[in-house]
């Protein structure tokens, strides 16, 4: 399985195995590809219970992060 990122003119697919860890703050989820390179997922882009769903999914797929 993989993460699919869609923008208006592009589409990218990243295997879960390439995500090292994740972190969260009040505005973003951050999926780390390297210790200094991450994919941001803005929480304002999530609807309804998607924030809780994403938090659960990341907890299931990735090791806990100390970031």
């Amino acid at each position: 399985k993989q993460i699919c990122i869609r923008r208006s003119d592009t589409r990218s697919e990243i295997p879960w195995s390439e995500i090292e860890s994740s972190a969260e703050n009040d505005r973003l989820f951050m999926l780390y590809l390297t210790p200094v390179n991450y994919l941001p997922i803005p929480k304002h882009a999530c609807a309804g219970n998607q924030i809780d769903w994403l938090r659960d999914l990341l907890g299931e797929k990735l090791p806990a992060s100390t970031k």
Side-chain angles (χ1 to χ4, degrees):
K1 304 244 174 178
Q2 54 199 6
I3 298 167
C4 181
I5 301 167
R6 293 184 189 132
R7 295 190 176 120
S8 60
D9 59 344
T10 62
R11 177 183 166 146
S12 301
E13 295 177 351
I14 301 168
W16 279 104
S17 60
E18 291 187 21
I19 307 296
E20 290 185 357
S21 64
S22 68
E24 176 183 356
N25 65 26
D26 60 330
R27 296 179 304 129
L28 297 171
F29 288 98
M30 295 156 278
L31 306 182
Y32 283 87
L33 301 168
T34 69
V36 296
N37 184 19
Y38 67 89
L39 299 171
I41 300 174
K43 289 182 177 179
H44 69 82
C46 299
N49 66 347
Q50 287 180 329
I51 289 175
D52 291 332
W53 175 84
L54 183 54
R55 191 177 288 127
D56 291 344
L57 180 65
L58 294 174
E60 176 186 314
K61 296 281 188 183
L62 301 173
S65 176
T66 58
K67 289 185 174 43

